[in-house]
């Protein structure tokens, strides 16, 4: 599985922008309440504050912590079974059999660097990743 993680700079910018969004939400709530707007307009500001607070937390976490959270996790076809397909589509045994079958029929090349690899190799001889 490959992960795409946001950079520390953009994460910090996202956190700072989220603080400004929370301030906007507070101004929205106060302004809507002051002019006597219906309750849904005031609640919109509260939802805005909550969403911006969550985004600020994620942004500052990714900017400052050692282990950042992934934005996306990408898996290849043979890496893991789709749980929805396993539950609603094919049976679990069929899904695992297909997974093993696709691994056996794959070409003898490393999927990461493209170097030639024998089928009995556990690790790639060029890049060292697990096959």
């Amino acid at each position: 599985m490959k992960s795409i993680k946001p950079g520390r700079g953009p994460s910090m910018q996202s956190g700072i922008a989220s603080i400004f969004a929370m301030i906007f939400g507070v101004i929205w709530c106060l302004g809507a309440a002051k002019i006597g707007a219906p309750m849904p307009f005031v609640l919109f500001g509260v939802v805005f504050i909550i969403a911006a607070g969550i985004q600020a937390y994620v942004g500052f976490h990714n900017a400052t912590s050692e282990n950042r959270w992934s934005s996306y996790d990408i898996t290849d076809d043979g890496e893991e079974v789709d749980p929805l397909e396993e539950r609603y589509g094919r049976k679990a045994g069929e899904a695992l059999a297909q997974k093993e079958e696709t691994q056996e029929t794959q070409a003898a090349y490393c999927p990461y660097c493209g170097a030639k690899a024998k089928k009995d190799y556990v690790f790639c001889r060029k890049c060292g990743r697990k096959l």
Side-chain angles (χ1 to χ4, degrees):
M1 177 173 5
K2 299 163 196 81
S3 302
I4 298 175
K5 296 183 179 184
R8 295 192 188 280
S11 295
M12 183 60 80
Q13 290 173 349
S14 174
I16 293 170
S18 297
I19 293 213
F20 285 115
M22 287 183 352
I23 293 169
F24 173 77
V26 169
I27 292 170
W28 178 280
C29 287
L30 294 175
K34 186 175 181 177
I35 65 170
M39 187 54 83
F41 287 102
V42 177
L43 291 178
F44 175 75
V46 173
V47 170
F48 204 83
I49 293 169
I50 292 170
I54 293 169
Q55 182 61 36
Y57 176 74
V58 170
F60 287 130
H61 172 76
N62 281 340
T64 59
S65 70
E66 185 176 331
N67 295 319
R68 294 173 287 168
W69 291 325
S70 298
S71 295
Y72 302 99
D73 289 328
I74 302 170
T75 58
D76 294 332
D77 290 336
E79 282 186 329
E80 72 182 37
V81 180
D82 182 11
L84 293 177
E85 187 173 321
E86 185 176 306
R87 182 173 182 151
Y88 297 111
R90 296 174 281 145
K91 301 287 184 207
E94 293 174 7
L96 290 175
Q98 183 190 11
K99 179 181 175 183
E100 291 171 2
E101 187 177 298
T102 56
Q103 288 177 345
E104 289 176 6
T105 58
Q106 289 178 347
Y109 293 97
C110 174
Y112 301 105
C113 69
K116 286 189 176 184
K118 292 185 180 177
K119 290 187 179 188
D120 60 337
Y121 283 1
V122 178
F123 293 95
C124 176
R125 303 285 192 221
K126 184 176 179 185
C127 67
R129 290 189 173 178
K130 189 173 182 177
L131 298 174

